[in-house]
Amino acid sequence: MGVASLTLRPAVPMGHVTGVPFVAALGVAGALDARVAWPHEVVGADEGPIASVRARAGYDDEGIYVTCDIVPRGEKNLDAESLSCAVREAVDAWASSVAAGRAAAGPLAPVLSDYFDALASMGEDVEVLRAGRAVARGTLVAVDVWGRATVRLADGRELELAPEQAELRRIVTRCQ
């Protein structure tokens, strides 16, 4: 599969559109029986990359839209049509929850429990990467309703990170 691209029109407030790539990643992970790596990457049981979800939003004569690209990574053969369908279903269900008022706290409130359950590396040691360089190490301890990750450093301080600020990479310890 090459890149699967789909345009969605979730009936949500503009401030909640930031939840779409998280929800899309959950949809892809569910369809592939995989996990999510913060913020919206899809990984296998071994935490090897399967796909990335990229999103860009805008507004036109018909209202808010979000274009989601599902970008394959690794060697797994992906079915673009079934993944697009899974993303549409996940985003539609989430948008219904938002419309029903279940996202007053933040865009991920309706799916945060599911996201947390699917999240790889929760409670594990990670490196915080900026521009591909490790700038800190700690333990991934939380993700909030806005999609920000919290990493607790060895000295007890906590870094709260938005997806546009950094990436997280699991620290793999190998026995020798």
Side-chain angles (χ1 to χ4, degrees):
M1 164 183 128
V3 174
S5 186
L6 62 154
T7 299
L8 307 165
R9 293 193 175 272
V12 300
M14 183 61 96
H16 282 57
V17 169
T18 58
V20 171
F22 292 89
V23 174
L26 270 175
V28 172
L32 297 175
D33 195 26
R35 303 196 68 198
V36 176
W38 183 84
H40 20 80
E41 304 293 313
V42 179
V43 296
D46 64 352
E47 296 194 27
I50 296 175
S52 297
V53 175
R54 304 286 180 247
R56 55 196 177 285
Y59 189 85
D60 62 16
D61 293 341
E62 296 178 49
I64 296 170
Y65 68 88
V66 181
T67 301
C68 279
D69 296 329
I70 305 164
V71 182
R73 296 182 59 210
E75 301 297 317
K76 189 165 178 123
N77 188 18
L78 305 177
D79 178 1
E81 187 174 328
S82 67
L83 294 182
S84 294
C85 184
V87 168
R88 282 188 194 283
E89 288 176 2
V91 171
D92 287 348
W94 167 77
S96 293
S97 291
V98 172
R102 290 190 281 280
L108 295 186
V111 297
L112 191 58
S113 178
D114 293 333
Y115 185 83
F116 194 84
D117 290 345
L119 192 59
S121 300
M122 181 57 71
E124 296 183 17
D125 291 335
V126 295
E127 289 181 314
V128 177
L129 305 174
R130 289 199 173 129
R133 293 184 35 209
V135 296
R137 290 177 145 213
T139 303
L140 178 59
V141 295
V143 174
D144 70 12
V145 294
W146 292 95
R148 296 176 298 227
T150 302
V151 175
R152 182 173 296 127
L153 305 178
D155 65 5
R157 290 181 300 139
E158 292 185 347
L159 290 177
E160 189 174 273
L161 305 162
E164 56 274 4
Q165 292 178 304
E167 296 176 59
L168 300 180
R169 177 174 56 202
R170 182 173 170 245
I171 299 172
V172 179
T173 307
R174 290 188 167 78
C175 297
Q176 296 184 6

